[in-house]
Amino acid sequence: QVQLVESGGGLVQAGGSLRLSCAAPEIIFRINSMGWYRQAPGNQRELVAIITRGGTTNYADSVKGRFTISRDDAKNTAYLQMNMLKPEDTAVYFCNSYPAFGFWGQGTQVTVSS
């Protein structure tokens, strides 16, 4: 069965950086766009960033200028570079296609302390 594997999360102080990785099966990665999503406690899952097959990116206003999404087609891997992290970035981060398939990986926890 296909699976999405996110990694790279951790505990970081406000202002710090983390780089998340997403290993995706080809059936997912070949979709036109890949996205990073996050879900904070008590909140709905939200889309954070997307990248098309051609490399065009878009970001939620809350992370614009701080996060950078990228992809490596040869490795079927997507990345999310997160800089200048804020406590409100604390969430479980997931990757998926965009639009998302109806299944999700375990996600990776990002906790930003103040």
Side-chain angles (χ1 to χ4, degrees), residues 1-104:
Q1 184 174 333
V2 298
Q3 61 179 341
L4 296 152
V5 181
E6 302 93 345
S7 61
L11 175 64
V12 64
Q13 293 183 3
S17 298
L18 286 171
R19 180 175 170 86
L20 308 184
S21 297
C22 169
E26 187 174 356
I27 193 171
I28 298 295
F29 204 82
R30 282 177 57 88
I31 299 299
N32 184 59
S33 299
M34 290 294 296
W36 281 96
Y37 305 74
R38 68 185 181 187
Q39 186 168 24
N43 294 336
Q44 293 182 297
R45 184 182 287 115
E46 63 176 341
L47 179 66
V48 175
I50 59 172
I51 183 167
T52 70
R53 196 150 46 199
T56 301
T57 60
N58 202 5
Y59 302 91
D61 287 342
S62 59
V63 307
K64 194 172 299 181
R66 300 187 297 118
F67 290 11
T68 303
I69 186 173
S70 60
R71 62 190 292 164
D72 187 333
D73 292 346
K75 298 179 180 179
N76 283 355
T77 302
Y79 305 93
L80 186 68
Q81 178 67 46
M82 305 184 296
N83 299 323
M84 295 300 296
L85 283 161
K86 304 175 180 179
E88 51 262 45
D89 295 319
T90 295
V92 179
Y93 284 72
F94 302 88
C95 65
N96 212 320
S97 59
Y98 180 79
F101 278 26
F103 59 91
W104 301 84

